[in-house]
Amino acid sequence: MVMRSRFATAINCIDGRVQTPVMDWIKLHLNVDYVDLITEPGADGALTSSTDLRARIFEKVCLSLKAHNPVAIALAGHWDCIANPVAREKHLEQVREGARIIESWRLRRRTVGLWVNELGYVDLISDNEEGHEVISYFYEYK
């Protein structure tokens, strides 16, 4: 009997400081074996502000869907982003808006918005699946 691996897809910044924390969080909290990475400088800002980048990200998500049938799609923003140098509150807004954009693609996947703080901890900002509370290690998110 062959066991099938479970995948998720992460839309994340190219910043190497945030790759491992995001993948580890996704594997642990979404119960998957592997994470397909779609990287874009300032991914949260790119997805919410550029229709061209949004279209390119969508194409890459579709490739991940076709290849690995991920159970979830995550969008991550992070502190100290050189490509998207906005305040934390603006990042959180972009993560929530970006998650809504992903949901509007009607891919019928769990969609989560994540924030990587300055300590490298990942907070759950949004989740379209019922019954999941926002997880915040250091801040109160509204």
Side-chain angles (χ1 to χ4, degrees):
M1 181 174 157
V2 176
M3 296 285 293
R4 294 205 60 181
S5 299
R6 287 174 45 99
F7 279 80
T9 301
I11 303 166
N12 200 358
C13 185
I14 63 168
D15 191 322
R17 298 173 295 175
V18 299
Q19 301 302 326
T20 301
V22 167
M23 287 191 310
D24 288 348
W25 190 96
I26 290 171
K27 287 177 180 179
L28 178 66
H29 293 278
L30 301 182
N31 191 30
V32 298
D33 304 302
Y34 302 102
V35 181
D36 286 343
L37 293 176
I38 298 169
T39 61
E40 187 68 44
D44 51 343
L47 187 63
T48 58
S49 64
S50 169
T51 54
D52 289 340
L53 289 175
R54 186 179 308 154
R56 289 198 339 230
I57 292 168
F58 176 73
E59 287 176 15
K60 294 171 186 176
V61 168
C62 289
L63 182 61
S64 174
L65 287 169
K66 183 176 179 181
H68 297 134
N69 192 29
V71 298
I73 301 168
L75 172 64
H78 70 97
W79 97 106
D80 192 34
C81 183
I82 300 304
N84 187 17
V86 297
R88 179 179 62 89
E89 292 76 19
K90 181 66 175 176
H91 276 288
L92 299 180
E93 180 184 306
Q94 290 172 334
V95 168
R96 287 186 195 99
E97 181 184 347
R100 286 190 295 272
I101 289 168
I102 294 166
E103 289 174 37
S104 77
W105 296 340
R106 301 191 183 276
L107 302 173
R108 299 187 342 198
R109 297 294 188 279
R110 183 174 178 186
T111 304
V112 297
L114 305 174
W115 170 252
V116 183
N117 68 31
E118 60 273 8
L119 299 176
Y121 289 100
V122 178
D123 294 339
L124 177 66
I125 304 305
S126 66
D127 189 338
N128 71 341
E129 193 170 89
E130 295 292 325
H132 296 279
E133 290 186 41
V134 170
I135 299 170
S136 172
Y137 292 99
F138 295 99
Y139 302 107
E140 289 297 320
Y141 298 112
K142 296 178 183 176

